[in-house]
């Protein structure tokens, strides 16, 4: 007999979470998808498409076999779990909790230990890929923690992403994601400085883009963000405040390990400057504005 379909939950319907939850719904693989968002009104779109809604994280978790979360940062991830009516209040034996937010290892470990102590199972599953890959179900998922739960999540990961990696004990995926985004932040910082210098020295930025795109430094990120930078308009796919958070967390990891990270530290300063200029909610390409002050 085929396995009964699972009931799954989703906490956090921001840029990423809404698209990821929608893909779970559209797949038809699950008996139900129950959603929660801190600002509850943001659940309405998915509810109109067939999702169930719950008023608290505890209510989602208690009605679901596996609950996924995609929340802003460590504070948000911890609040969803440990607050009154948080995840912990809904956990019972065997339930799965999969936090896909980008957080640091300490946050993930604290959540994993609490979920496990309550009888549940925990996987961390941060992702690479932004708004469009989330919509297209083409994310790259970095998993760590309970291996059995990770395997049980494969159908869900398969509709949200194009590939998933099991990296080991809780913390490994958090670290990997921070390393990946540290590289990305440094690349974006260098790219924006190049665009600024090209412009100031009388060169066409479009020519720089084309030249970079034809050589060994060609990459989708420069190709995608270049036009936004030239137009100085940055509708958010990956909000700048989240990239700065990731650099901050990666630098803290480097500090803890006494690993010098001078390039990332310099990039972080540019992102802090852009955030101070009020660009935090815009796309992270808005770090270009830090080169213009
Ligand atoms: N956007 C991207 O390209 C990518 C983002 N990520 C990571 O995914 C996560 C989500 O990103 P994204 O969707 O872009 O972010 P958004 O800013 O669009 O959404 C953030 C979500 O977190 C919720 N939230 C914020 N603070 C709290 C809190 N204190 N308690 C409970 N919920 C809270 C928000 O709720 P509310 O609606 O009420 O504000 C919202 O649902 C982040 O960790 C980010 O770094 C990873 C890969 C790509
Ligand atoms: O954390 C955000 C990652 C964005 C991306 O991989 O394009």
């Amino acid at each position: 007999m085929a396995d009964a379909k699972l009931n799954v939950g989703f906490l956090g319907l921001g840029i990423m979470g809404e698209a990821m939850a929608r893909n779970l719904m559209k797949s038809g693989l699950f008996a139900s998808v129950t959603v929660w968002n801190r600002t509850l009104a943001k659940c309405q779109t998915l509810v109109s498409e067939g999702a169930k809604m719950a008023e608290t994280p505890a209510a989602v978790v208690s009605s679901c076999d596996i609950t996924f979360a995609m929340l802003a940062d460590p504070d948000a991830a911890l609040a969803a779990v440990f607050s009154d009516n948080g995840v912990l209040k809904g956990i019972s034996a065997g339930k799965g909790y999969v936090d896909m937010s980008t957080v640091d290892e300490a946050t993930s470990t604290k959540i994993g230990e609490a979920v496990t102590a309550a009888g549940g199972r925990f996987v961390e599953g941060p992702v690479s890929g932004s708004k469009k890959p989330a919509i297209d179900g083409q994310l790259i998922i970095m998993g760590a923690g309970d291996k059995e739960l990770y395997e049980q999540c494969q159908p869900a990961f398969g509709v949200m992403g194009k590939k998933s990696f099991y990296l080991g004990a809780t913390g490994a995926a958090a670290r990997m994601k921070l390393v990946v985004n540290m590289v990305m932040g440094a690349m974006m910082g260098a790219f924006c400085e190049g665009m600024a210098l090209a412009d100031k020295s009388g060169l066409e930025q479009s020519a720089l883009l084309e030249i970079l795109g034809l050589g060994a430094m060609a990459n989708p990120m420069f190709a995608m963000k270049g036009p936004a930078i030239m137009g100085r308009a940055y509708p958010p796919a990956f909000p700048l405040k989240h990239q700065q958070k990731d650099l901050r967390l990666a630098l803290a990891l480097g500090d803890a390990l006494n690993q010098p990270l001078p390039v990332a530290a310099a990039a972080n300063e540019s992102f802090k400057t852009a955030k101070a200029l009020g660009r935090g909610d815009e796309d992270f390409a808005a770090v270009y504005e830090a080169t213009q002050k």
Side-chain angles (χ1 to χ4, degrees), residues 16-174:
M16 299 294 285
E18 181 176 303
M20 294 160 74
R22 180 176 287 113
N23 282 335
L24 293 176
M25 291 167 60
K26 279 184 356 196
S27 73
L29 290 174
F30 304 102
S32 66
V33 178
T34 304
V35 298
W36 171 86
N37 192 69
R38 178 181 62 173
T39 308
L40 281 176
K42 289 194 196 166
C43 296
Q44 284 312 321
T45 307
L46 289 184
V47 168
S48 72
E49 296 171 23
K52 296 182 182 177
M53 175 186 144
E55 302 232 330
T56 65
V60 175
V61 170
S62 61
S63 67
C64 293
D65 302 295
I66 300 176
T67 300
F68 299 90
M70 192 58 163
L71 299 159
D73 54 22
D75 286 347
L78 291 168
V81 172
F82 292 101
S83 61
D84 292 346
N85 298 314
V87 167
L88 277 188
K89 299 278 166 38
I91 289 283
S92 56
K95 284 190 185 286
Y97 186 60
V98 182
D99 192 347
M100 305 184 79
S101 322
T102 304
V103 297
D104 56 314
E105 178 170 9
T107 299
S108 207
T109 301
K110 186 171 176 185
I111 291 171
E113 285 175 353
V115 166
T116 308
R121 300 173 297 151
F122 178 71
V123 157
E124 55 180 11
V127 304
S128 253
S130 193
K131 182 177 177 177
K132 177 85 166 55
I135 291 169
D136 295 343
Q138 292 291 305
L139 296 168
I140 301 150
I141 297 166
M142 292 157 262
D146 187 308
K147 184 81 192 295
E148 195 183 316
L149 176 58
Y150 172 84
E151 295 300 345
Q152 198 183 4
C153 287
Q154 284 306 307
F157 288 164
V159 298
M160 293 190 279
K162 62 180 174 187
K163 177 139 178 129
S164 67
F165 295 83
Y166 182 75
L167 298 171
T170 299

Side-chain angles (χ1 to χ4, degrees), residues 90-277:
I91 289 283
S92 56
K95 284 190 185 286
Y97 186 60
V98 182
D99 192 347
M100 305 184 79
S101 322
T102 304
V103 297
D104 56 314
E105 178 170 9
T107 299
S108 207
T109 301
K110 186 171 176 185
I111 291 171
E113 285 175 353
V115 166
T116 308
R121 300 173 297 151
F122 178 71
V123 157
E124 55 180 11
V127 304
S128 253
S130 193
K131 182 177 177 177
K132 177 85 166 55
I135 291 169
D136 295 343
Q138 292 291 305
L139 296 168
I140 301 150
I141 297 166
M142 292 157 262
D146 187 308
K147 184 81 192 295
E148 195 183 316
L149 176 58
Y150 172 84
E151 295 300 345
Q152 198 183 4
C153 287
Q154 284 306 307
F157 288 164
V159 298
M160 293 190 279
K162 62 180 174 187
K163 177 139 178 129
S164 67
F165 295 83
Y166 182 75
L167 298 171
T170 299
R175 295 195 304 278
M176 182 65 84
K177 172 62 185 169
L178 292 180
V179 171
V180 169
N181 271 28
M182 183 189 81
V183 173
M184 191 171 73
M187 275 175 68
M188 180 59 94
F191 176 52
C192 286
E193 287 187 4
M195 291 289 272
L197 183 60
D199 185 45
K200 213 162 219 175
S201 63
L203 300 169
E204 289 294 334
Q205 289 180 324
S206 57
L208 172 63
L209 265 188
E210 200 172 348
I211 291 164
L212 287 173
L214 289 169
M217 281 179 285
N219 69 77
M221 190 179 86
F222 292 177
M224 207 160 42
K225 304 299 183 182
I229 291 165
M230 287 190 292
R232 297 184 70 175
Y234 315 98
F238 180 36
L240 185 141
K241 65 185 175 191
H242 294 332
Q243 173 65 84
Q244 196 275 317
K245 171 256 304 178
D246 296 347
L247 281 164
R248 173 168 54 79
L249 296 176
L251 290 169
L253 178 61
D255 279 356
L257 297 171
N258 206 23
Q259 171 63 46
L261 299 170
V263 174
N268 187 42
E269 292 306 313
S270 299
F271 280 95
K272 281 162 60 183
T273 300
K275 211 165 84 169
L277 291 171

